[in-house]
Amino acid sequence: MAKTQADAVDLSGLGITQLSNLFDVFEAIHNQWLAVGCQPFAESHDPIVGVRPNAAGNLAEQEASRAALIRDRIADEVRLRKPQDDWQRDEALSLRIKDEILCEGAIRDRDLLMEAVKAWG
């Protein structure tokens, strides 16, 4: 359900700077929901299974997933955009690098790395 809802978000009317700011907001929201899921009120303790999410924890996981999916949709949308000036290029490139590090733990996309070197190098 979270993916269907994330896919339904219309990003077409937003500029690169707006998308970049929303990316940061949804990443922060994602982290906040993950933190909620780790709170004692969101966990059940089972003697056999151990700690697992209760209804509140499941809700937190669902919302964290939705925020991450929307964040990923924003990154995908920025990849489709052609920056109109150096400012937009820098915004888009910064977002793409943040997304690459979030997803891969490092910049593994050589083309992205070369684009950054060419732009800022």
Side-chain angles (χ1 to χ4, degrees):
M1 185 162 143
K3 177 148 178 40
T4 302
Q5 291 173 339
D7 289 344
V9 174
D10 181 16
L11 302 171
S12 63
L14 302 174
I16 288 175
T17 299
Q18 292 168 320
L19 290 167
S20 179
N21 289 326
L22 277 175
F23 180 91
D24 291 341
V25 168
F26 276 96
E27 176 55 16
I29 290 168
H30 172 248
N31 287 327
Q32 289 296 312
W33 277 116
L34 289 176
V36 168
C38 295
Q39 297 300 310
F41 69 82
E43 298 174 337
S44 295
H45 297 274
D46 185 290
I48 297 170
V49 179
V51 178
R52 57 184 209 168
N54 61 20
N58 289 330
L59 175 63
E61 285 180 7
Q62 182 180 7
E63 292 304 318
S65 177
R66 184 190 341 261
L69 289 165
I70 293 171
R71 179 201 64 208
D72 293 345
R73 283 261 343 276
I74 292 167
D76 291 342
E77 182 71 22
V78 167
R79 281 185 198 86
L80 299 173
R81 303 291 179 91
K82 182 171 176 23
Q84 302 302 309
D85 56 31
D86 288 348
W87 178 263
Q88 286 186 4
R89 180 208 59 206
D90 291 350
E91 287 280 328
L93 194 51
S94 294
L95 183 149
R96 291 172 50 215
I97 289 169
K98 284 188 262 186
D99 186 57
E100 177 79 2
I101 291 170
L102 281 169
C103 294
E104 300 293 331
I107 302 174
R108 302 198 191 287
D109 181 337
R110 287 185 181 264
D111 292 336
L112 178 60
L113 187 56
M114 294 309 297
E115 189 176 339
V117 169
K118 182 179 175 185
W120 301 327

